[in-house]
Amino acid sequence: MKKVPLIAQIISLACALVAVGAVLLWAAPCAGSLELANGNMAPMRCAYTGKVAVLLALMLAVVCAAGLATRRPLAATVALLSAALILMTFDTPLSIGVCKNADMACQATALWLRLAGGISLAAVAVGGLANPNRKRIRA
């Protein structure tokens, strides 16, 4: 039971590596450009989503590695980074989003990022609840 928070950190670290691999290797976002009204070309927003996803996943990996090195579960930080990884793929005012076309390659990237973030978030939730050292407040 004492090892569950550390196992959750290892699972979150693996999910961070999967997210980086998905963006850079097997499910890369769209590489196309959009033509703006003034004639200039700009990358699609999924290209920016991929860059931010790599940054968030690397931050998640560093936090998980720090938690494993210090043997302290950094559950709140890992949970926030995992939730940010998920939220970033949706089209909201707080996130970048991906292309709306279902045939675009960035839809596969979004799926991988949502899976990695969701598994990481679930693992850290289980690890936080199973932590025998957490403080319990009695009403």
Side-chain angles (χ1 to χ4, degrees):
M1 196 71 160
K2 287 181 107 174
K3 301 280 185 195
V4 173
L6 294 176
I7 293 171
Q9 296 274 339
I10 293 170
I11 291 171
S12 294
L13 178 62
C15 288
L17 297 177
V18 165
V20 170
V23 172
L24 297 178
L25 299 174
W26 61 81
C30 306
S33 297
L34 293 173
E35 185 175 351
L36 303 176
N38 62 2
N40 291 340
M41 299 297 279
M44 292 185 193
R45 65 181 174 172
C46 51
Y48 297 114
T49 299
K51 291 176 185 177
V52 174
V54 168
L55 180 66
L56 283 173
L58 290 176
M59 287 174 31
L60 180 62
V62 167
V63 168
C64 290
L68 288 171
T70 60
R71 298 243 182 227
R72 296 182 70 205
L74 303 170
T77 308
V78 173
L80 286 174
L81 288 170
S82 299
L85 201 61
I86 296 168
L87 180 67
M88 183 189 53
T89 61
F90 291 105
D91 190 17
T92 66
L94 298 174
S95 61
I96 301 170
V98 293
C99 302
K100 292 181 183 356
N101 189 352
D103 297 333
M104 300 294 279
C106 55
Q107 296 296 327
T109 308
L111 177 67
W112 277 100
L113 293 176
R114 289 173 188 159
L115 283 174
I119 292 170
S120 176
L121 191 60
V124 78
V126 169
L129 292 175
N131 188 359
N133 297 329
R134 72 181 171 120
K135 295 178 182 170
R136 292 179 174 86
I137 299 173
R138 297 179 197 242

